[in-house]
PDB file of all heavy atoms in Angstrom:
ATOM      1  N   GLN A  39     125.828 103.568  79.011  1.00  0.00           N
ATOM      2  CA  GLN A  39     125.290 104.306  77.883  1.00  0.00           C
ATOM      3  C   GLN A  39     126.431 104.952  77.103  1.00  0.00           C
ATOM      4  O   GLN A  39     127.486 105.253  77.647  1.00  0.00           O
ATOM      5  CB  GLN A  39     124.337 105.400  78.372  1.00  0.00           C
ATOM      6  CG  GLN A  39     123.118 104.849  79.075  1.00  0.00           C
ATOM      7  CD  GLN A  39     122.209 105.950  79.575  1.00  0.00           C
ATOM      8  OE1 GLN A  39     122.604 107.101  79.647  1.00  0.00           O
ATOM      9  NE2 GLN A  39     120.998 105.585  79.922  1.00  0.00           N
ATOM     10  N   VAL A  40     126.190 105.171  75.816  1.00  0.00           N
ATOM     11  CA  VAL A  40     127.156 105.816  74.930  1.00  0.00           C
ATOM     12  C   VAL A  40     126.488 107.048  74.356  1.00  0.00           C
ATOM     13  O   VAL A  40     125.297 107.033  74.045  1.00  0.00           O
ATOM     14  CB  VAL A  40     127.577 104.839  73.796  1.00  0.00           C
ATOM     15  CG1 VAL A  40     128.576 105.492  72.873  1.00  0.00           C
ATOM     16  CG2 VAL A  40     128.129 103.553  74.375  1.00  0.00           C
ATOM     17  N   ARG A  41     127.263 108.114  74.190  1.00  0.00           N
ATOM     18  CA  ARG A  41     126.694 109.337  73.619  1.00  0.00           C
ATOM     19  C   ARG A  41     126.275 109.083  72.181  1.00  0.00           C
ATOM     20  O   ARG A  41     126.951 108.408  71.424  1.00  0.00           O
ATOM     21  CB  ARG A  41     127.699 110.475  73.690  1.00  0.00           C
ATOM     22  CG  ARG A  41     128.026 110.852  75.132  1.00  0.00           C
ATOM     23  CD  ARG A  41     128.925 112.065  75.211  1.00  0.00           C
ATOM     24  NE  ARG A  41     128.450 113.236  74.513  1.00  0.00           N
ATOM     25  CZ  ARG A  41     127.551 114.102  75.001  1.00  0.00           C
ATOM     26  NH1 ARG A  41     127.040 113.899  76.182  1.00  0.00           N
ATOM     27  NH2 ARG A  41     127.183 115.154  74.305  1.00  0.00           N
ATOM     28  N   ALA A  42     125.158 109.643  71.787  1.00  0.00           N
ATOM     29  CA  ALA A  42     124.596 109.380  70.466  1.00  0.00           C
ATOM     30  C   ALA A  42     125.382 110.062  69.349  1.00  0.00           C
ATOM     31  O   ALA A  42     125.191 109.737  68.180  1.00  0.00           O
ATOM     32  CB  ALA A  42     123.145 109.837  70.434  1.00  0.00           C
ATOM     33  N   GLU A  43     126.287 110.969  69.666  1.00  0.00           N
ATOM     34  CA  GLU A  43     127.072 111.646  68.631  1.00  0.00           C
ATOM     35  C   GLU A  43     127.968 110.667  67.880  1.00  0.00           C
ATOM     36  O   GLU A  43     128.298 110.884  66.720  1.00  0.00           O
ATOM     37  CB  GLU A  43     127.942 112.732  69.257  1.00  0.00           C
ATOM     38  CG  GLU A  43     127.148 113.804  69.948  1.00  0.00           C
ATOM     39  CD  GLU A  43     128.010 114.662  70.863  1.00  0.00           C
ATOM     40  OE1 GLU A  43     129.164 114.274  71.140  1.00  0.00           O
ATOM     41  OE2 GLU A  43     127.520 115.703  71.289  1.00  0.00           O
ATOM     42  N   SER A  44     128.361 109.581  68.539  1.00  0.00           N
ATOM     43  CA  SER A  44     129.291 108.631  67.943  1.00  0.00           C
ATOM     44  C   SER A  44     128.585 107.483  67.229  1.00  0.00           C
ATOM     45  O   SER A  44     129.221 106.494  66.898  1.00  0.00           O
ATOM     46  CB  SER A  44     130.216 108.073  69.020  1.00  0.00           C
ATOM     47  OG  SER A  44     129.456 107.382  69.988  1.00  0.00           O
ATOM     48  N   ALA A  45     127.274 107.599  66.991  1.00  0.00           N
ATOM     49  CA  ALA A  45     126.526 106.502  66.372  1.00  0.00           C
ATOM     50  C   ALA A  45     125.639 107.027  65.258  1.00  0.00           C
ATOM     51  O   ALA A  45     125.349 108.222  65.180  1.00  0.00           O
ATOM     52  CB  ALA A  45     125.682 105.803  67.419  1.00  0.00           C
ATOM     53  N   GLU A  46     125.239 106.113  64.413  1.00  0.00           N
ATOM     54  CA  GLU A  46     124.336 106.441  63.320  1.00  0.00           C
ATOM     55  C   GLU A  46     123.075 105.584  63.475  1.00  0.00           C
ATOM     56  O   GLU A  46     123.153 104.360  63.568  1.00  0.00           O
ATOM     57  CB  GLU A  46     125.010 106.139  61.983  1.00  0.00           C
ATOM     58  CG  GLU A  46     124.118 106.357  60.797  1.00  0.00           C
ATOM     59  CD  GLU A  46     124.771 105.897  59.497  1.00  0.00           C
ATOM     60  OE1 GLU A  46     125.951 105.506  59.508  1.00  0.00           O
ATOM     61  OE2 GLU A  46     124.072 105.911  58.485  1.00  0.00           O
TER      62      GLU A  46
END
Side-chain angles (χ1 to χ4, degrees):
Q39 296 179 345
V40 180
R41 296 185 54 82
E43 299 165 347
S44 62
E46 176 186 355

